[in-house]
Amino acid sequence: MVGIKSYGAHIPRYRLDRNIMQLALLFLGTGPLRGEKAVANWDEDSITMATAAGKDCLTGEDRDKIDGLYFATTSQIYSLRQNAGIIAGALDIATVSRTADFTDSTKSGTTAMIAAADAIGAGSLSSCLVCVSDCRVGKVSGNADYTYGDGAASFLMGNKDVIATIDGSYSTTHDFVDRRRLEGERLEHMWEERFIRDAGYMNFIPEAVAGLLNKYKLNIKDFSKVIYACSIAGAHSALAKTLGLAPEQVQDPLLMNVGDTGVAQPMMMLVAALEDAKPGDRIMVVSFGQGCDVFYITVTDKITEVKNKKAIKRNLANKAALGSYEKYLAFRKLMPVEIGIRGEEAIFTSFSIVSRENREIYGMVGSRCRKCGAPAWPIQRICPNPDCGAIDQFDPYRFSDKLGNIFTYTADYLAASIDPPSAYGFIDFEGGGRCGLDFTDCDANTLKVGLPMELSFRIKYADEKRAAVNYGWKAIPIIA
Amino acid sequence: MADGIRDKVAIIGMGCTKFGERFDASPQDLIVEAFVECIGDAGLEKKDIQAAWWGVHMPDISVGRGATVLGAVLKLPYIPVTRVENYCTTGTEALRGATYAVASGAYDVCLALGMEKLKDTGYGGLPLAGGMGYKAPLIGFNMTAPGAFAMLATKYFSRYNLNPQEGKMMLAKVSAKSHKNGALNPKAHLRKEVTVEQIMNAPIIAWPLGLFDCCGVSDGAAAAIVCRADMAKNFRQDPVFIKALQISVSSGDEMLYTRWDGTHVEPAYRAGISAYREAGIKNPREEVSMAEVHDCFSITEAVTMEDLQFSPRGRVKEDIDAGRFNADGAQPIQIDGGLKCFGHPIGASGLRMVYEMYKQLQGKADKRQLKNPKIGLTHNMGGFPSNNVVSVCIVGK
């Protein structure tokens, strides 16, 4: 049966208290929502967050049989150069053959899921990783500014050993213009919220749910959880009544603690639902964009074997206050920041290097000596073990999923950074190998020699002159 | 069987500019300033120089690449000129080239000149200048020199159980001593005494290093003329003889393999051993009268005392606390003020250190003059503690 083999999620560590936003923005009026929103670190974007969710999803999974990777977002980084291909490289899925970006509508995450299920069902793919993320920016003080949060989800789809079967789907399409953005624009435009609520959510979601129930002769009571996307807290509650849901059937839309994560919202809600699901549970997922996709799943006995996922719960617990709205503006480049003349030095990006050494740079794949077993990154053709020195006897060795400890470190206030100090150091990895790496998602004063660290795929630098965002793996304190 | 260069080559003239933020001087001005003093000190004419070695580390921000700069600025008469670059050992490498050429018998008289113009960039710290290659930004970390060396301090404190206060105090004493020496040197960039308390309370540059743990960034040039040892006294009565000139380069295992302890600089230890063997020194702690070491950061000087076997491993703090390396101590270090007070115009620094040893051995060090020094040592370390090149030069009467 076609279904979900594994799930994962990512929520950025920083949370911005909407009361802090309100204090900064009161001169422009009051905001529509309280609570807090998850905010991508300065070195995160839709690609890195999707990769983080993908890494979580692949924990304990064999990634050597995956032949598809679908990425869904409305905050795509490249419009020419496939974003899904970057994620496949970062996750070092060497066997991937078909990749695609699903974009332009907040329903494109469910579209990617259904497309993956269809391809596996038809036998044209055997296993497909679906990564979904959004990192959207709205105009300062606008509805989107308050409401949006950043996050990602990922599902490994296959046809054996699934934790949930995908049993059916139903889709609608309407050229409903709630939000829009032209090619080349960064900030979204949004139509009146009352229109979006009444003519949008309250209209299309019941229509799509009814369509699915009708198609498969099901009753809403047959579902233990119903997940439906919604950016308006009040509308989400109202929809529960309209759909006839009991309180325990309603999945929390994460608006108060994460925010509206766009494409990722219903997919993150699905991860949260699966974390609490029991065998036999039936779950419906409804997205919302220019129309809706609906699909439903049935949880299998395999759900009890899922372990070591960060998913939603651990990611929610791993949080730090961003502290100021100005910092958010600086992180999202909504406010020019003086980072010093040192920071203005041009970095040149050579795309022949990026292409030729992609697996080493983006995948953090190094070498492991066949003779003495010493791993190293970057790739060493001559073994760095002074007692070995074997020449050209090595296998590829992936560091990105390994754990390590801080060998030494510093927090550098001279290095140009949007978020000084720049923390970095050497990590000694379990299983061997020492790598010098940037650190991120950490408070400099909590670093110490020996601190356990894991790796996270992040932006290294943006080379705006050459239309490039370059990525690599950085070290972060292990997420409990 | 090779027997090294001990006492085969003599220094018969040296020059050194005033170091500092020389916003008044072009790179060419600095080259001429060092050369004029050097050739005057040697009492030679330009036509006596048979070959030259020219050291500059970052020519892309000053004079451009190649050896033509030196030939064109000094109007050298079509002699062989070689440009050398080897990180912070660049100045010493220029001297090594000139010295080895004379020792080989190829020439009788050679010039070594090093210069660096760092203050045309508009910012503090060492320039980036794309010097690590195109791949570095893709895989490297967002680091600076203070950060790279701060990691040496973090690890040293951790390994030897120094709490931040104790560790920073040890390092503060290193810098305070150099500032005291530099205050007496008219050619130094920074000429102000600084208290241990001021140093401890200075803003952090890269934890745990504060402002006064870091050497300045400055412009400068220095030069030496060397000749065959047996002809040195034809030029002057007080030549200084080169006893050893060695370098050692990391083999990559420190940064990639998990053996290096992170609290020392392996090539410094290795270059020291090679240089002591060449110079015939058995007990460096007793036999080396004075040294100019590469104190780009206070921690670098501290661990270098151990690497060069002036202090036992892990115990430099005792020697620092006892004042061993002060001007009036048993083994004065950085008697001219060091990189700490001179700043570090990279191509010039190695020759600037030798300049001080040369003047001390000749008894011409003015207010800084030590009592009858016999052996002087200079040390440069370029790159990062985890991957570097180290030079050690030993000179004597």
Side-chain angles (χ1 to χ4, degrees), chain A residues 448-462:
Chain A
K448 56 177 199 271
V449 171
L451 189 75
M453 303 286 272
E454 61 180 296
L455 298 183
S456 184
F457 190 67
R458 297 299 170 108
I459 296 170
K460 296 288 282 186
Y461 67 95

Side-chain angles (χ1 to χ4, degrees), chain A residues 83-304:
Chain A
N83 300 283
I86 296 173
I87 297 167
L91 292 171
D92 186 36
I93 304 174
T95 48
V96 77
S97 57
R98 187 182 304 163
T99 51
D101 289 340
F102 291 71
T103 60
D104 308 340
S105 171
T106 47
K107 70 172 178 174
S108 54
T110 47
T111 312
M113 287 288 279
I114 293 166
D118 287 351
I120 293 164
S124 83
L125 286 178
S126 64
S127 175
C128 184
L129 186 70
V130 178
C131 295
V132 182
S133 76
D134 247 334
C135 182
R136 303 180 294 172
V137 266
K139 286 180 202 151
V140 166
S141 93
N143 186 293
D145 195 22
Y146 278 99
T147 313
Y148 287 179
D150 304 324
S154 178
F155 299 91
L156 180 60
M157 309 286 285
N159 53 12
K160 296 200 279 281
D161 300 329
V162 298
I163 57 170
T165 55
I166 295 209
D167 298 331
S169 69
Y170 180 83
S171 297
T172 63
T173 293
H174 304 279
D175 185 20
F176 177 76
V177 194
D178 55 343
R179 298 173 171 86
R180 67 206 186 280
R181 198 177 65 221
L182 285 170
E183 172 89 16
E185 275 192 306
R186 172 124 194 268
L187 304 175
E188 302 188 2
H189 306 263
M190 186 176 154
W191 204 250
E192 187 186 12
E193 191 185 57
R194 295 173 64 81
F195 166 75
I196 297 171
R197 183 188 66 194
D198 296 341
Y201 289 115
M202 298 306 291
N203 187 18
F204 299 134
I205 287 180
E207 176 196 59
V209 170
L212 181 101
L213 295 177
N214 195 33
K215 182 177 173 185
Y216 295 98
K217 307 291 174 239
L218 291 164
N219 188 293
I220 196 75
K221 305 279 176 230
D222 297 333
F223 293 88
S224 46
K225 279 280 189 281
V226 178
I227 290 163
Y228 49 98
C230 191
S231 64
I232 305 166
H236 192 268
S237 310
L239 276 165
K241 286 204 188 92
T242 306
L243 295 172
L245 297 176
E248 65 274 13
Q249 284 179 286
V250 179
Q251 183 67 36
D252 172 33
L254 302 167
L255 291 171
M256 300 306 282
N257 48 6
V258 179
D260 172 15
T261 54
V263 170
Q265 189 197 23
M267 304 283 92
M268 292 170 75
M269 291 164 75
L270 176 55
V271 172
L274 286 169
E275 279 187 273
D276 290 331
K278 302 180 302 294
D281 282 358
R282 197 175 273 167
I283 301 171
M284 186 194 304
V285 182
V286 191
S287 64
F288 177 85
Q290 277 58 54
C292 302
D293 290 320
V294 195
F295 66 83
Y296 78 98
I297 63 173
T298 306
V299 176
T300 73
D301 294 343
K302 287 271 175 199
I303 193 85
T304 56

Side-chain angles (χ1 to χ4, degrees), chain B residues 193-208:
Chain B
E193 288 199 39
V194 184
T195 65
V196 167
E197 193 180 30
Q198 281 176 294
I199 297 170
M200 297 280 287
N201 294 329
I204 293 295
I205 302 296
W207 175 260

Side-chain angles (χ1 to χ4, degrees), chain A residues 402-407 427-430 439-442 446-455 475-480:
Chain A
K402 305 296 183 291
L403 305 178
N405 300 285
I406 294 180
F407 171 70
I427 303 295
D428 278 1
F429 284 90
E430 290 172 10
F439 296 174
T440 191
D441 282 5
C442 58
T446 62
L447 297 174
K448 56 177 199 271
V449 171
L451 189 75
M453 303 286 272
E454 61 180 296
L455 298 183
I476 61 171
I478 286 180
I479 295 172

Side-chain angles (χ1 to χ4, degrees), chain A residues 217-472:
Chain A
K217 307 291 174 239
L218 291 164
N219 188 293
I220 196 75
K221 305 279 176 230
D222 297 333
F223 293 88
S224 46
K225 279 280 189 281
V226 178
I227 290 163
Y228 49 98
C230 191
S231 64
I232 305 166
H236 192 268
S237 310
L239 276 165
K241 286 204 188 92
T242 306
L243 295 172
L245 297 176
E248 65 274 13
Q249 284 179 286
V250 179
Q251 183 67 36
D252 172 33
L254 302 167
L255 291 171
M256 300 306 282
N257 48 6
V258 179
D260 172 15
T261 54
V263 170
Q265 189 197 23
M267 304 283 92
M268 292 170 75
M269 291 164 75
L270 176 55
V271 172
L274 286 169
E275 279 187 273
D276 290 331
K278 302 180 302 294
D281 282 358
R282 197 175 273 167
I283 301 171
M284 186 194 304
V285 182
V286 191
S287 64
F288 177 85
Q290 277 58 54
C292 302
D293 290 320
V294 195
F295 66 83
Y296 78 98
I297 63 173
T298 306
V299 176
T300 73
D301 294 343
K302 287 271 175 199
I303 193 85
T304 56
E305 293 169 25
V306 175
K307 54 181 190 235
N308 298 328
K309 303 295 180 192
K310 294 188 174 79
I312 299 297
K313 281 184 189 151
R314 282 167 67 193
N315 270 307
L316 276 178
N318 177 54
K319 67 172 182 175
L322 186 64
S324 86
Y325 182 64
E326 293 81 352
K327 200 167 177 182
Y328 168 76
L329 294 179
F331 279 13
R332 294 283 80 79
K333 297 184 179 173
L334 291 169
M335 177 172 81
V337 174
E338 177 64 83
I339 57 168
I341 302 168
R342 171 177 290 274
E344 292 169 5
E345 286 244 344
I347 300 177
F348 183 88
T349 304
S350 165
F351 289 100
S352 43
I353 297 175
V354 168
S355 303
R356 179 180 62 232
E357 298 167 43
N358 197 278
R359 203 174 176 203
E360 180 181 67
I361 295 167
Y362 282 10
M364 209 180 163
V365 173
S367 51
R368 185 174 179 274
C369 180
R370 278 183 209 144
K371 213 168 144 197
C372 77
W377 180 85
I379 292 165
Q380 301 297 308
R381 290 186 57 179
I382 299 179
C383 177
N385 174 359
D387 298 332
C388 178
I391 300 173
D392 278 341
Q393 295 181 57
F394 62 89
D395 296 308
Y397 184 82
R398 186 195 304 127
F399 276 87
S400 65
D401 54 355
K402 305 296 183 291
L403 305 178
N405 300 285
I406 294 180
F407 171 70
T408 187
Y409 72 94
T410 187
D412 185 338
Y413 289 87
L414 182 63
S417 169
I418 198 83
D419 188 24
S422 166
Y424 50 86
F426 283 89
I427 303 295
D428 278 1
F429 284 90
E430 290 172 10
R434 173 176 293 169
C435 303
L437 294 167
D438 282 315
F439 296 174
T440 191
D441 282 5
C442 58
D443 299 317
N445 56 10
T446 62
L447 297 174
K448 56 177 199 271
V449 171
L451 189 75
M453 303 286 272
E454 61 180 296
L455 298 183
S456 184
F457 190 67
R458 297 299 170 108
I459 296 170
K460 296 288 282 186
Y461 67 95
D463 179 355
E464 278 150 19
K465 266 189 194 156
R466 276 160 289 271
V469 180
N470 283 307
Y471 300 93

